[in-house]
Structures are given as C-alpha cells and as structure tokens.
Amino acid sequence: MPSSPRGRSRGKSPGKPKATKKAVNPEAEVSSIVADLRRNFDNGVNSSYEARITNLEALRTVLVKGKAQLCEALRKDLGKCEVESYYTEMNLCEHEIQHMVDHLKSYMAPEVVGTDLLNIGGTSRIYPDPLGVVCVIGAWNYPVQLTLMPCVGAIAAGNVCFIKVPSDKYTNHTSRALAELCEEHLDRSVFRLVEGAREMTQAVLQERYDKIFFTGGCFVGKMVAEAAAKHLTPTVLELGGKSPVFVTESADLTIAARRICWGAFMNCGQTCVRPDYCMVDEKVASKFFEEVEKSCKQFYTESPETSEFFGRVINERAAERLSGIINDTPKSKICFGGEVDVKDKFVAPTLLDFGTDFAGFKRSAAMADEIFGPILPAVRYTNLQDAIDFVNENEKPLSCYLFTTNSADREAILTKTTAGSANVNDVMMHMCNPNLPFGGVGKSGMGRYHGKFSFDCFTHYKSVLFKSNFGDVWARYPPYDSLKVTALGVVQSTKPGWAFDLLKFVLILAVFAAIRTDGRFAGFAHKAISFMFE
C-alpha cells in the first residue's frame, strides 16, 4: 500500500509536559482528590450564579484556546481531519456552554407549582439543588466531546467535577492535551482530572460520588453500575448498540445514501449512534447500494487510505477484529471496500449486501455485536413488518433511523419500535439539537442529557411547601368526629381539575365575604390570598 499522510511524522506532541504526574498510588490519589472536592462543594465554591458562569467560561477557554492543540492530538490518535475534529468535538461543547450561559438564571430559579386543597393557605415550589461531587468518565472515540460535554451540565447545575479522561492506551495524545489544558485554565477547587488506564479506573470506582456519568461499552458499564450500587450512587450510562436504518421504497435514495454514508463512516465508524446496519426495501435496494458507493467515492475518493477526510481505527487490535468480520463474510456479499491494513490501522469503508437472507444476516459476524468500525451490513426486505420484527427481536438500540416519504411507513416504524432516539430522513443530527434529550434505553443506556436535560441530569429537584399560620384545617387533627370526617371527605375527595379550581374559587369568595362582614379580617385575608397564589 502506498505511503499515506498518516504514516509520516506527525510532528511535536501537543502542549507542554507540565501537567500532573501519573499516580504511583491511584487509590490514595483519588481518595484525596474526592475529599478535597467534597470539602470545596460544602463550602459553596460553585453554588452562586456568578461562580457557575465563571467556570463555564473557563471550560470555553479550554476549547477555544486549545483548539489547535486538541485537533492535532485527535489527528494523531484517530486520524481525524481538523474540520471533523472541531465540529464533532469542540464545537458541540461550545454550543452546550452557550446554551447554559443563555438560560442559567431561569434554570436556577425555583419553580412555583400548584397547591392542593388540604394545604390551602400555602404555596409550593421546586428548588433545583446541586448534587455534589460528580464523576465523569470519558470515552476514547470522541475524547473531547464525551469528556467535557457532561461537565458543562454538571457545572451549570452547581456541582464540582472529578474527571477521568480516556485511557492513555487509546487516545494518549488527546488525554494528555486535555490534562494540560484543564490544568492551565480550570479552577482546581471545582475541576480535578486524572489520567491512567484500567488501574486508575478501578481506583476511581472505589470512591463514593453523588452521581457517576459514564460513556462507553456495556462491559465496563456493568462494572460502573455495580460499583455505584455499593454506595447507592445514581448513574448515567451512555452505552451504544446496533442502531438500525430503514430505507423504504419511497425514500429519496440519493439523499439517504449520502447521509447514511456520512454517518456510518465518520470517525472511521467509531460512533456510538452511527447507523450500524441497513434494512432496505428490495424494490430499491440495488439502486440504493449504487448511490452509497457513489457517495463514498465522492467523500473519500477511490483511495480512502490517502484521503485526509477518512480516519483510522483506534489500534491494530481493532483493525484485526474488523478484518475478521470482513473475512467471515462471503466475497459475493461485499459490494465495495473490504481492504484492511492492520499496521496502518486502516479499514476501508465497506458495504455488505446479504440479499433477502435474514437468517444468514442475523448469524453473520457483522451482526454479532456493535461494529464500531467502517463496515455497513445490509439486508433487503420485502415486507416492512419483517424488518420491524427483526429490530424488536434484538436489544433496544441507542438510535433508529428511517428514510421515507410515506407517512404510514414512518408512523409504523416510530410507534412499533423502541430506541433511545430516532431521526426521520437523517442520521445522528438529533445530537446537535439542545431541545432534544440524548440517551439510551435498555442495554443502550440509562439517563439523558444535552441542553436543559443536562442541567436536570445533575440536579435534585427539591419539593418545598410553604405554609402560613392562616387557615389551619382543624379536621386533620384527632379526635375525628363526624363533622371532621365530612370535612375531610369534601377536601380530599378525588375531583377533576375544573372542580378543584371551582372549589378554590368558592373559598376565595368566602374570604372576601368575611372581609366585607368584618373589616378586621381585611389585611389578614389579603396576605393569605397573596400567599396562596404567589
């Protein structure tokens, strides 16, 4: 294979070698850091609006001033071009920060809610409380975004962050760059970051936190959940799975092919929400596959191994695993691609066509687990319900994608399948919308974040009932005679909302009647009504 830009010298390593040393005793280091953070949280280091804004802006500084350093590190670790690195990593975090800056005051404000009849004379509010010390464990496939994005919500919600960057066995350059930039720009009383591989992760999981946010695979996700359960610590697990794509007869095949090709082969297929397999209406399948190949060549040329826009898998072991999937597939089913250079960590964009053989498709190595590489297996269906049933026979996916202009087909897929999220006529773009929560269901994960949902993720919503000394319901106290029982029956009987509002209105009229009868009650009643409807 000819020499590619990725085989040449990659220049100096990013940043200065000044950041924290790797721990000789990970358990002791982690324990000390968590204790410091907890002390700082208890002292209110990030509780005020001003402190939260300052720390969000510090995170923005890491991304803005560190852009060149992080892009270079991502090129070395994953072969990403600068445009892809910026827009799929730093830029998404920048948007999340801006969203929080724009809305933080309203998110922090207590919410006034309704009050029931038994508590008449009172008012109810919900206070957003920070949780405390939050542990964020990042992932190597998007090491900047998946490490810093959860921190944005955690900081906005008033917490302090303990950050475990991805293992240096995978994204060594990026993890090192993150450590150096965070050391330089972030407040150590609010953010603390550790590096390391398995031993450090094990040490991190021994400690007690107020929430753990983990992004990664199911195997480690189970370890995180087990460790958290020992302390009854709530967790968010952003995992993955095999996200299906439906391409129906009515789909715009050119648009579908371009968007699916983009999503399936971005970051060399190492994306948790990538389209992992396609189910295509048999009537349009051949044309669709031609369009996918055409798009692939437009994106990455005839020689993707030399394209600056096509990355590399994370290591040689990953390349060998993906090579095994390709070798397990009969050559007659390989539409295009299939080339592998293990030493260069190169796996060509590859499309596999299993025809209408659903049984063989299901048994194939390509369908055994999440692929996490630039291989896209496909099967042709003759009945849409068969494709829907196939999805439902497997674990619930992180995302589901459908390309159709037929509303009946669209609603059939959306209502008869379950996934963490779905896109109609696109893939992965829901990740950019802060108004849509991102998270899995079942084995694809638990919990959700992005935008307001990130703030909610790291917040305890505390219920607060305010009561005045007016209007004490005497019937609540024993002894219970028939009059009290009757009164409780009126107040506590189940009523539709309109009846509740009517009864409340009647009570207000009664108060005003008392005011007109005896002016001495006027000031007292005015305060009571104001308190009830504050």
Side-chain angles (χ1 to χ4, degrees):
M1 177 173 289
S3 173
S4 75
R6 291 165 183 78
R8 302 174 194 147
S9 170
R10 298 179 186 250
K12 298 185 293 181
S13 64
K16 302 174 185 177
K18 67 168 187 176
T20 53
K21 298 177 182 178
K22 293 180 183 177
V24 176
N25 185 338
E27 292 84 0
E29 182 192 24
V30 171
S31 180
S32 174
I33 291 173
V34 173
D36 286 346
L37 285 173
R38 195 167 298 284
R39 217 167 14 248
N40 297 339
F41 174 78
D42 290 342
N43 289 331
V45 69
N46 190 43
S47 60
S48 70
Y49 170 79
E50 292 76 15
R52 299 184 198 192
I53 291 293
T54 297
N55 288 309
L56 288 171
E57 292 297 348
L59 273 175
R60 198 200 307 259
T61 300
V62 168
L63 297 165
V64 174
K65 291 192 174 181
K67 177 183 174 183
Q69 184 177 346
L70 291 169
C71 284
E72 175 63 10
L74 289 163
R75 186 183 70 81
K76 292 181 176 183
D77 289 330
L78 289 159
K80 292 186 181 185
C81 68
E82 182 178 348
V83 172
E84 183 177 320
S85 291
Y86 176 65
Y87 285 104
T88 64
E89 300 259 15
M90 288 78 85
N91 183 255
L92 289 175
C93 296
E94 291 170 3
H95 278 282
E96 184 85 342
I97 291 168
Q98 189 60 52
H99 177 92
M100 292 301 176
V101 170
D102 290 342
H103 299 281
L104 187 56
K105 279 191 176 178
S106 64
Y107 291 171
M108 290 178 64
E111 178 188 2
V112 178
V113 295
T115 303
D116 63 309
L117 281 175
L118 193 61
N119 287 300
I120 202 76
T123 186
S124 303
R125 299 178 191 175
I126 300 174
Y127 277 66
D129 277 1
L131 298 175
V133 180
V134 169
C135 175
V136 175
I137 304 175
W140 59 259
N141 57 320
Y142 288 87
V144 178
Q145 180 208 144
L146 298 179
T147 300
L148 297 186
M149 183 86 95
C151 296
V152 176
I155 293 302
N159 303 284
V160 294
C161 285
F162 179 87
I163 305 167
K164 166 64 176 68
V165 294
S167 171
D168 52 13
K169 290 186 177 179
Y170 296 103
T171 50
N172 177 52
H173 299 92
T174 309
S175 294
R176 189 91 284 276
L178 277 172
E180 293 170 1
L181 288 163
C182 290
E183 182 80 11
E184 181 178 357
H185 298 293
L186 300 184
D187 182 348
R188 284 171 59 86
S189 68
V190 178
F191 301 89
R192 294 297 294 275
L193 180 149
V194 295
E195 302 173 73
R198 180 182 301 174
E199 296 78 12
M200 179 57 79
T201 302
Q202 290 171 343
V204 167
L205 292 178
Q206 288 179 17
E207 290 297 316
R208 179 179 180 176
Y209 306 93
D210 296 289
K211 193 155 199 174
I212 299 175
F213 192 109
F214 169 79
T215 303
C218 282
F219 179 77
V220 180
K222 291 177 182 178
M223 293 171 55
V224 172
E226 182 179 2
K230 294 177 182 177
H231 301 293
L232 296 180
T233 299
T235 59
V236 174
L237 301 177
E238 295 295 351
L239 305 177
K242 297 189 73 65
S243 297
V245 184
F246 293 84
V247 181
T248 73
E249 181 183 8
S250 67
D252 183 317
L253 299 182
T254 301
I255 289 293
R258 288 176 64 82
R259 293 177 179 176
I260 293 169
C261 181
W262 171 81
F265 303 134
M266 173 192 287
N267 197 26
C268 208
Q270 298 164 120
T271 305
C272 62
V273 291
R274 78 179 285 265
D276 209 67
Y277 65 98
C278 280
M279 294 177 293
V280 189
D281 190 302
E282 187 181 22
K283 301 182 189 70
V284 297
S286 295
K287 174 63 176 173
F288 171 71
F289 296 150
E290 290 174 7
E291 290 291 335
V292 173
E293 183 172 13
K294 178 180 174 182
S295 294
C296 192
K297 290 177 180 178
Q298 288 175 344
F299 294 170
Y300 308 118
T301 76
E302 298 270 359
S303 303
E305 67 274 14
T306 63
S307 171
E308 67 171 303
F309 304 117
F310 187 73
R312 295 296 185 266
V313 295
I314 190 63
N315 53 31
E316 292 183 12
R317 186 175 66 176
E320 290 171 350
R321 177 182 61 81
L322 295 165
S323 178
I325 292 175
I326 294 169
N327 292 336
D328 182 74
T329 306
K331 290 186 177 180
S332 61
K333 299 186 186 300
I334 300 176
C335 287
F336 64 82
E339 299 82 16
V340 177
D341 183 338
V342 171
K343 291 295 181 184
D344 190 35
K345 300 180 289 185
F346 169 77
V347 179
T350 301
L351 177 66
L352 309 178
D353 176 14
F354 284 82
T356 57
D357 182 11
F358 264 90
F361 181 63
K362 187 172 184 177
R363 291 194 306 269
S364 69
M367 293 301 294
D369 203 348
E370 186 177 3
I371 293 173
F372 233 63
I375 300 170
L376 184 63
V379 67
R380 307 174 185 222
Y381 69 82
T382 54
N383 185 318
L384 179 59
Q385 187 59 49
D386 292 338
I388 291 172
D389 291 342
F390 183 85
V391 171
N392 291 333
E393 288 168 4
N394 297 287
E395 296 290 348
K396 295 173 183 176
L398 187 53
S399 291
C400 177
Y401 305 116
L402 47 145
F403 288 82
T404 185
T405 56
N406 182 297
S407 61
D409 289 346
R410 180 193 68 213
E411 291 307 307
I413 296 167
L414 290 175
T415 58
K416 294 180 180 180
T417 64
T418 299
S421 55
N423 284 199
V424 180
N425 294 320
D426 213 333
V427 300
M428 307 196 317
M429 292 302 292
H430 61 292
M431 300 277 291
C432 304
N433 185 352
N435 301 301
L436 291 174
F438 173 70
V441 59
K443 285 189 73 173
S444 63
M446 62 179 72
R448 57 186 189 172
Y449 72 127
H450 288 185
K452 175 62 161 55
F453 303 96
S454 292
F455 186 91
D456 295 344
C457 175
F458 296 103
T459 295
H460 167 65
Y461 284 97
K462 180 171 63 183
S463 302
V464 180
L465 175 66
F466 295 83
K467 293 293 288 286
S468 74
N469 295 321
F470 167 77
D472 197 22
V473 180
W474 96 104
R476 66 188 271 194
Y477 305 116
Y480 300 108
D481 56 26
S482 59
L483 180 60
K484 289 183 177 181
V485 171
T486 300
L488 286 172
V490 171
V491 173
Q492 284 299 95
S493 62
T494 305
K495 309 174 190 65
W498 64 265
F500 173 85
D501 294 337
L502 178 61
L503 187 53
K504 205 169 185 179
F505 179 68
V506 169
L507 289 172
I508 294 172
L509 290 180
V511 171
F512 276 110
I515 294 171
R516 290 180 62 85
T517 302
D518 190 341
R520 290 176 300 173
F521 291 109
F524 186 55
H526 176 75
K527 289 180 181 179
I529 293 170
S530 298
F531 194 76
M532 287 164 55
F533 294 96
E534 184 178 3

